[in-house]
């Protein structure tokens, strides 16, 4: 069968991890012909070796360095939107979303970071697909801070909060219940991580680690039942181990980090998760969290380098969710919710925040993202989807 799952891997070094994911699929009987691997890399990387690896594995796939991405933009008539995907940034995963959008056969996407491995005894791709098809009762989590710590299940022991979790929302009171989820409501499946937890630099420093990892590690025992965050509650969404339905792409832009005048980095997937959760709440959809776990083997690097990338956006991260929390009510499409949020940021006055102009920049790029998608596939009807919420502007 033609591939219907696009596996997007941003990589500049450890691309060989793909061998373990393909082996995992074959070991567990997952139909590898459903998978198309897209390696997003740079001109200075081993693109020939990456292509040879795909051939050796006998899987469908392509490798896109910076030069090939530029050629792709021109071929598809969207070269004027090339700026929405920053160069040499983790946020270049957005190119994978554009690639999926242009290829209607892809019904699902999977983000995998190159410093991860699947657990051998778990069907990685099969579990993600099962999660996306889930219907029934599942644990629902909320807090009095309107934020859910995805590591909450053993937080009394390890005390961890993931990268992007607002500092002001810590020490929350957790409330759990049960949600009834209908078939088709789950639009994203976030797998969590053993070994190195996904923490920000401040929390890593507080954990006593100068090598960008963490002294405190997570194991299978730190995770219990799968869960969803309640309506009106936000959560960190990390793209190292994440599957999603094609339908979310208009509201799942990985935000423009690193390559900007404010030197803001490290919040591309975090902020995209905030926007996606708002869209899910408006549209009655769900983000599923838990299995399949992956093993996160983050390479040692200076914690202070990460800190320098995060500091310009730390204050903005505290407030972003509040700025869009009531935006998009009444919308009936991802594009309409996303456009409403983009306009809110692009038109707002954010002088009260350090680097507040970056929020304006983000809003403008969100609108460019929608224009790029509409140009790529005019037949998708995004222009019609986008107008409802803004009719009175």
């Amino acid at each position: 069968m033609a591939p219907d799952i696009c596996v997007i891997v941003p990589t500049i070094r450890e691309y060989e991890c793909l061998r373990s994911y393909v082996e995992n699929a074959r070991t567990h009987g997952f139909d590898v012909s459903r998978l198309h691997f897209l390696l997003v890399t740079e001109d200075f990387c081993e693109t020939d070796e990456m292509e040879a690896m795909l051939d050796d594995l006998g899987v469908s796939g392509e490798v896109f360095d910076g030069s090939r991405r530029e050629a792709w933009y021109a071929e598809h008539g969207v070269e004027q939107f090339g700026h929405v995907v920053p160069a040499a940034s983790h946020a270049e995963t957005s190119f994978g979303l554009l690639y999926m959008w242009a290829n209607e056969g892809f019904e699902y996407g999977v983000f995998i970071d190159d410093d991860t491995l699947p657990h051998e005894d778990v069907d990685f791709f099969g579990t993600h697909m099962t999660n996306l098809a889930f219907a029934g009762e599942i644990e629902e989590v909320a807090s009095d801070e309107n934020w859910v710590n995805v590591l909450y299940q053993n937080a009394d022991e390890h005390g961890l909060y993931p990268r992007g979790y607002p500092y002001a929302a810590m020490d929350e009171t957790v409330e759990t219940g049960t949600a009834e989820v209908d078939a088709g409501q789950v639009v994203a499946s976030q797998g969590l991580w053993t070994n190195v937890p996904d923490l920000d630099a401040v929390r890593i420093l507080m954990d006593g680690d100068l090598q960008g990892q963490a002294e405190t590690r997570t194991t299978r025992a730190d995770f219990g039942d799968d869960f969803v965050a309640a309506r009106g509650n936000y959560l960190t969404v990390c793209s190292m181990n994440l599957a999603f339905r094609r339908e979310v792409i208009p509201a799942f832009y990985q935000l423009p980090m690193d390559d900007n005048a404010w030197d803001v980095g490290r919040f591309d997937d975090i902020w995209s998760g905030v926007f996606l959760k708002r869209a899910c709440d408006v549209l009655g959809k769900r983000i599923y969290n838990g299995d399949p776990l992956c093993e996160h083997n983050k390479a040692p690097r200076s914690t202070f380098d990460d800190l320098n990338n995060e500091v310009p956006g730390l204050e903005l991260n505290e407030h972003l969710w509040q700025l869009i929390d009531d935006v998009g009510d009444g919308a009936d499409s991802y594009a309409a919710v996303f456009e409403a949020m983009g306009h809110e940021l692009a038109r707002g006055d954010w002088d009260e925040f350090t680097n507040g102009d970056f929020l304006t920049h983000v809003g403008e790029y969100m609108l460019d993202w929608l224009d790029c998608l509409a140009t790529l596939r005019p037949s998708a009807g995004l222009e019609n989807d986008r107008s409802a919420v803004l009719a009175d502007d």
Side-chain angles (χ1 to χ4, degrees):
M1 65 186 300
D4 65 331
I5 304 170
C6 186
V7 183
I8 301 161
V9 185
T11 182
I12 59 172
R13 53 186 186 277
E14 301 294 341
Y15 53 88
E16 291 279 344
C17 73
L18 231 60
R19 294 186 181 276
S20 294
Y21 283 98
V22 173
E23 179 182 0
N24 177 276
R26 288 177 169 147
T27 297
H28 291 279
F30 189 85
D31 185 355
V32 177
S33 70
R34 296 184 64 187
L35 304 173
H36 178 83
F37 293 89
L38 182 73
L39 279 67
V40 187
T41 187
E42 300 298 335
D43 289 352
F44 57 81
C45 294
E46 299 175 342
T47 54
D48 290 343
E49 290 82 353
M50 293 178 190
E51 291 172 347
M53 177 188 66
L54 294 174
D55 287 341
D56 182 54
L57 289 170
V59 295
S60 174
E62 292 190 84
V63 179
F64 277 85
D65 57 20
S67 296
R68 193 172 179 203
R69 290 197 295 277
E70 292 297 323
W72 189 92
Y73 298 143
E75 178 186 346
H76 289 80
V78 292
E79 57 267 45
Q80 71 270 36
F81 298 111
H83 61 278
V84 301
V85 180
S89 168
H90 186 269
E92 66 192 8
T93 45
S94 281
F95 175 76
L97 299 180
L98 295 179
Y99 182 91
M100 279 185 64
W101 192 252
N103 291 269
E104 297 183 50
F106 294 127
E107 292 296 329
Y108 307 97
V110 178
F111 285 145
I112 294 175
D113 275 6
D114 67 0
D115 58 359
T116 67
L117 293 171
H119 285 265
E120 293 181 358
D121 59 341
V122 175
D123 180 358
F124 180 82
F125 294 107
T127 302
H128 270 309
M129 292 300 108
T130 297
N131 294 347
L132 291 173
F134 177 81
E137 292 187 346
I138 188 171
E139 183 171 86
E140 182 179 65
V141 187
S143 86
D144 58 343
E145 297 289 349
N146 299 111
W147 269 85
V148 170
N149 176 4
V150 297
L151 301 176
Y152 82 94
Q153 288 165 323
N154 204 21
D156 288 343
E157 295 294 324
H158 56 58
L160 299 177
Y161 287 91
R163 176 177 56 91
Y165 190 98
Y167 296 102
M170 297 193 309
D171 300 321
E172 75 284 10
T173 299
V174 177
E175 303 170 0
T176 60
T178 301
E180 182 68 36
V181 175
D182 295 333
Q185 284 188 331
V186 175
V187 295
S189 166
Q190 177 175 210
L192 300 176
W193 350 275
T194 60
N195 195 27
V196 181
D198 183 35
L199 308 182
D200 64 31
V202 172
R203 292 178 171 107
I204 293 172
L205 288 173
M206 293 297 292
D207 199 39
D209 192 331
L210 303 185
Q211 297 302 309
Q213 299 178 319
E215 294 295 324
T216 302
R217 301 298 173 94
T218 54
T219 69
R220 288 178 183 269
D222 291 309
F223 303 97
D225 293 336
D226 298 342
F227 62 93
V228 296
R231 307 286 188 209
N233 280 251
Y234 292 87
L235 74 166
T236 56
V237 174
C238 170
S239 65
M240 80 166 75
N241 172 13
L242 184 77
F244 54 92
R245 292 181 182 271
R246 172 191 187 83
E247 66 188 67
V248 307
I249 290 176
F252 202 39
Y253 173 43
Q254 306 296 291
L255 282 303
M257 298 289 154
D258 305 302
D259 185 17
N260 59 73
W262 301 266
D263 295 325
V264 179
R266 300 269 292 162
F267 293 104
D268 49 311
D269 50 354
I270 299 301
W271 289 8
S272 75
V274 169
F275 295 138
L276 179 61
K277 183 55 164 66
R278 175 58 185 160
C280 286
D281 284 356
V282 171
L283 301 174
K285 304 295 185 177
R286 294 285 191 174
I287 299 172
Y288 189 109
N289 307 277
D291 287 331
L293 301 176
C294 73
E295 181 182 307
H296 183 208
N297 301 309
K298 184 179 178 183
R301 66 189 187 213
S302 170
T303 309
F304 295 100
D305 285 348
D306 280 350
L307 183 64
N308 284 330
N309 288 332
E310 293 168 6
V311 163
L314 283 180
E315 182 182 14
L316 303 179
N317 186 63
E318 291 293 308
H319 300 286
L320 177 71
W321 69 277
Q322 298 168 321
L323 303 181
I324 56 87
D325 189 44
D326 61 352
V327 175
D329 281 337
D332 60 1
S333 71
Y334 294 99
V337 182
F338 199 68
E339 181 164 32
M341 292 187 288
H343 275 280
E344 180 71 17
L345 296 180
R347 296 176 179 178
D349 180 357
W350 314 119
D351 288 345
E352 63 183 296
F353 305 131
T354 299
N355 295 328
D357 286 345
F358 182 66
L359 294 177
T360 304
H361 174 78
V362 166
E364 292 169 347
Y365 272 49
M366 291 166 69
L367 300 176
D368 287 348
W369 173 255
L370 292 173
D371 287 340
C372 182
L373 295 180
T375 304
L376 266 178
R377 289 187 56 240
S379 62
L382 282 191
E383 292 298 333
N384 294 330
D385 290 343
R386 295 168 57 184
S387 60
V389 172
L390 302 167
D392 296 331
D393 282 10

